Amino acid sequence: MKKWLYTLLVIVLAACSNEIPEQQPAKRSGRTVLAYLISNSPKSLEGNLQDNVVDMYMALAEIKDSCTLLVFYRPQEYSSYLDVPTLLCFDTDGRGNINNLPAVTGTELTFESVCQVAQKKEYTMNSQIATDPVVMEEVLKDMQKIAPSDSYGLILGSHASGWMKGNSVQSKAFGDDDGYNIDIPDLANVLKKSFSEKLDFVLFDACMMGTAEVGYELKEATSHCIASVMETPVYGFPYDRILPYLYTENIDYSAVCHEFMSFNKTNNLWGTCAVMDCSQMENLASAVKAKLSEWQDALSSVSMQNVQQYGVNSYKYFSYDVLDFFRELGGKSGVAEIDLNEAIASIQTVLNEAVIAKECIPNPSNSTFRVDEAHFCGVGMYIPKEVNDYVPDNISWNNWNDYYKQSISWYRAVGWADLKLN
């Protein structure tokens, strides 16, 4: 009887105040965390993203300080408790209460109960999609109106395929709303337009976003980029473990990576995680450019089979380990193995400043894909086809190369266009 009465009380109280107030709230001190989650795709992440929201709620209940979380949730059409894209707002007082109610626990803690206690704003998008730049900007600005804050961090959860253009070679760029995506240059532009100050971090709970191309593209939009360079398990980040770190003044990014990899190991999964300091991406590009220019005569003879790469299936060859590539290139340039570390020290030094945290699972038991920990610098980069001619002809290189050359800033920043590759 008590269990039933408590559930009824939560529903009644939530129903009385479940719309986000219209009046302008006071500015919050510290950081507010935002999440933009998209599950409306043929390969739906609905259940996984719902579990992520529940885990975020659980973390809020344990945090010993007042803070705010806003979650934009784009549900799987016709199959979710939420009927339409909805913005969910949660305020915790640091004493176990969320939105002025005791936090739901135990068997009562479900995605439905979490949505019931949330303050909400619903969006009637009709033919619009959650990856449309106009829609994204509207939602992100709404979040800031609802929760004015000293600073923000943003979690982006959905399918993704890194720098590659959406809808090419089965690619998704970022997001999948019924087949529609947003390309990374467009995403960077949306973030710059939506926020007056740089985000403290962007966390990609999505596949293959941990590349130099993505970090470089976002350098004017965020201070840090948290991502995996390879495909990620559908379960996503363990938010009940990592969310408290994301509210601290000085985020322990190594702990965030470690918690993610520990969760994956416990669940017999695979993975990598790294954090890029995006303020250092220009320096990394300059170091890469200098070394490519110095060793360009060896580019045509480099053996890419010897370089750690991070893609599988259709995405194989989209990204190679940055440092491992220069180890191979240096060897083809005639640098003796004993002198190779010194020869690539300029890249290593800048990488140490640009990649401030990293961790990987080198030998996952349930995956044939292996990451060599000794050849894992944290981030990858694409190597244009002219340096990579051994790759099978069934890979749609024209789609990749044309888009890469025309649209990805990293291509120009590191000087690929200036090199004689043949």
Side-chain angles (χ1 to χ4, degrees):
M1 176 65 79
K2 286 184 178 180
K3 177 179 175 181
W4 182 84
L5 287 174
Y6 177 78
T7 303
L8 179 62
L9 177 63
V10 168
I11 294 172
V12 171
L13 289 175
C16 294
S17 58
N18 66 347
E19 290 188 5
I20 295 173
E22 292 293 329
Q23 67 268 22
Q24 182 75 14
K27 185 176 182 179
R28 293 157 170 78
S29 61
R31 181 183 305 111
T32 292
V33 176
L34 316 174
Y36 198 98
L37 310 179
I38 305 170
S39 70
N40 187 38
S41 66
K43 294 182 179 179
S44 177
L45 297 172
E46 182 88 309
N48 306 113
L49 290 177
Q50 289 182 1
D51 289 344
N52 292 160
V53 174
V54 172
D55 286 346
M56 292 176 189
Y57 179 94
M58 289 174 59
L60 287 179
E62 298 297 324
I63 290 176
K64 303 304 181 184
D65 198 1
S66 60
C67 57
T68 299
L69 169 72
L70 287 95
V71 179
F72 173 78
Y73 190 89
R74 172 51 165 124
Q76 176 78 9
E77 195 169 8
Y78 309 126
S79 66
S80 172
Y81 168 73
L82 297 176
D83 295 325
V84 296
T86 305
L87 182 53
L88 308 169
C89 180
F90 305 96
D91 287 301
T92 179
D93 60 4
R95 298 188 296 274
N97 300 306
I98 298 177
N99 290 351
N100 298 316
L101 291 169
V104 183
T105 59
T107 58
E108 299 298 322
L109 181 56
T110 63
F111 180 72
E112 181 176 349
S113 66
V114 167
C115 290
Q116 286 172 342
V117 302
Q119 292 186 313
K120 304 180 189 67
K121 177 176 180 177
E122 295 182 344
Y123 292 82
T124 305
M125 291 182 175
N126 297 324
S127 62
Q128 292 179 300
I129 55 174
T131 53
D132 186 299
V134 174
V135 173
M136 293 191 76
E137 184 178 351
E138 176 188 353
V139 173
L140 293 172
K141 287 184 174 179
D142 282 348
M143 288 175 162
Q144 295 167 79
K145 291 176 184 176
I146 293 164
S149 184
D150 287 345
S151 65
Y152 298 93
L154 176 63
I155 297 166
L156 293 170
S158 187
H159 292 291
S161 59
W163 59 264
M164 290 184 286
K165 182 176 177 62
N167 299 320
S168 69
V169 201
Q170 301 179 2
S171 297
K172 296 178 176 65
F174 172 74
D176 189 348
D177 187 351
D178 198 24
Y180 291 93
N181 329 102
I182 183 168
D183 294 330
I184 303 309
D186 293 331
L187 175 61
N189 190 50
V190 166
L191 298 182
K192 286 186 287 186
K193 290 173 64 178
S194 299
F195 295 90
S196 59
E197 302 290 338
K198 282 185 181 182
L199 290 156
D200 288 343
F201 66 82
V202 172
L203 185 157
F204 284 105
D205 198 341
C207 295
M208 303 160 58
M209 302 303 286
T211 67
E213 289 87 356
V214 173
Y216 189 85
E217 211 73 49
L218 296 182
K219 63 186 173 61
E220 303 300 327
T222 183
S223 296
H224 298 89
C225 179
I226 309 168
S228 171
V229 71
M230 60 186 290
E231 290 189 319
T232 57
V234 295
Y235 303 103
F237 280 72
Y239 292 102
D240 54 333
R241 302 186 192 182
I242 72 161
L243 198 65
Y245 290 108
L246 302 182
Y247 284 101
T248 58
E249 182 177 359
N250 297 305
I251 299 174
D252 186 343
Y253 286 112
S254 293
V256 172
C257 290
H258 181 69
E259 292 288 359
F260 185 26
M261 292 301 96
S262 294
F263 172 81
N264 284 2
K265 286 178 183 177
T266 300
N267 289 279
N268 196 31
L269 301 170
W270 66 93
T272 70
C273 186
V275 182
M276 289 177 272
D277 179 347
C278 294
S279 69
Q280 298 297 319
M281 294 307 294
E282 196 71 72
N283 291 338
L284 180 59
S286 296
V288 168
K289 182 177 183 178
K291 197 57 72 174
L292 283 175
S293 178
E294 178 184 349
W295 289 343
Q296 65 176 305
D297 290 343
L299 284 168
S300 60
S301 58
V302 69
S303 179
M304 297 304 298
Q305 294 98 324
N306 296 331
V307 183
Q308 172 72 65
Q309 69 90 24
Y310 295 108
V312 296
N313 301 324
S314 299
Y315 306 113
K316 200 170 183 181
Y317 317 115
F318 95 105
S319 186
Y320 291 85
D321 190 272
V322 173
L323 190 63
D324 206 32
F325 170 72
F326 283 103
R327 287 194 189 100
E328 176 65 18
L329 182 60
K332 296 299 182 181
S333 298
V335 178
E337 186 174 351
I338 194 171
D339 300 320
L340 192 54
N341 287 339
E342 183 178 348
I344 61 174
S346 59
I347 302 290
Q348 179 71 78
T349 298
V350 181
L351 273 169
N352 290 343
E353 296 172 346
V355 182
I356 60 173
K358 63 174 182 174
E359 192 165 330
C360 69
I361 300 175
N363 293 300
S365 60
N366 70 336
S367 174
T368 58
F369 188 84
R370 296 289 183 264
V371 177
D372 186 341
E373 195 169 13
H375 293 256
F376 172 67
C377 78
V379 295
M381 69 177 187
Y382 179 60
I383 309 300
K385 179 181 183 292
E386 290 88 346
V387 186
N388 207 2
D389 284 333
Y390 79 95
V391 175
D393 292 335
N394 60 353
I395 299 295
S396 300
W397 282 109
N398 287 338
N399 288 342
W400 288 13
N401 282 346
D402 290 348
Y403 176 73
Y404 193 77
K405 294 174 181 179
Q406 294 167 8
S407 302
I408 300 301
S409 301
W410 178 261
Y411 173 81
R412 297 180 294 277
V414 301
W416 280 116
D418 303 323
L419 298 177
K420 297 179 180 179
L421 300 178
N422 294 316

